[in-house]
Amino acid sequence: MTTDERLIFRLCNKDRQSLEEIYNRYEKLLWNIVTKTTTEPDICEQVITQVFQELWNNPQDFNNGRKLSSLLIECCKSQLSLFSMSKTS
C-alpha cells in the first residue's frame, strides 16, 4: 500500500491529520494548475478549498487505483470549470 493509499484509507475514517498531510503534499501542485487559468488569488484559494472539501466529503472517490495526484488534478480542473461557468451565468 502506498503512502497516498494509506492517507486516503485514514481519510475515509475522517482522520483530519491525513487531510493535512495530503494538503501539504499537493497544495502547491494544485496552486500551480489553478494559476495557469487565473491569477486572482481569491479565486485560486476558492478552487483549492473546493478540491479539499470534495476530498474530505468523498474520499472514496479518490481511492480507485489511480494516482492521488492525478485525481486531485482532475478534481481541480473540474472545480475550475464549474467556477468559470458560474461566473458567466
Side-chain angles (χ1 to χ4, degrees):
M1 186 179 275
T2 67
T3 301
D4 284 345
E5 289 170 334
R6 283 192 293 274
L7 290 169
I8 292 296
F9 178 79
R10 289 174 36 207
L11 196 58
C12 286
N13 294 312
K14 297 300 182 193
D15 177 63
R16 289 187 184 274
Q17 185 179 0
S18 63
L19 182 65
E20 288 177 30
E21 288 181 45
I22 293 170
Y23 180 88
N24 290 335
R25 291 176 75 151
Y26 294 108
E27 181 268 337
K28 287 180 183 158
L29 170 68
L30 298 179
W31 186 268
N32 288 336
I33 290 166
V34 174
T35 56
K36 288 179 183 176
T37 303
T38 181
T39 56
E40 295 180 52
D42 288 347
I43 294 172
C44 294
E45 288 177 20
Q46 288 176 22
V47 168
I48 291 173
T49 298
Q50 285 298 115
V51 169
F52 285 100
Q53 284 179 341
E54 181 71 21
L55 178 62
W56 177 255
N57 292 331
N58 301 295
Q60 67 282 353
D61 293 347
F62 294 83
N63 190 21
N64 65 4
R66 292 178 52 206
K67 290 179 74 172
L68 180 57
S69 59
S70 298
L71 294 167
L72 289 170
I73 289 168
E74 201 172 273
C75 183
C76 185
K77 289 179 178 179
S78 175
Q79 292 298 328
L80 275 168
S81 177
L82 291 172
F83 191 85
S84 66
M85 284 192 312
S86 71
K87 286 294 217 182
T88 58
S89 301

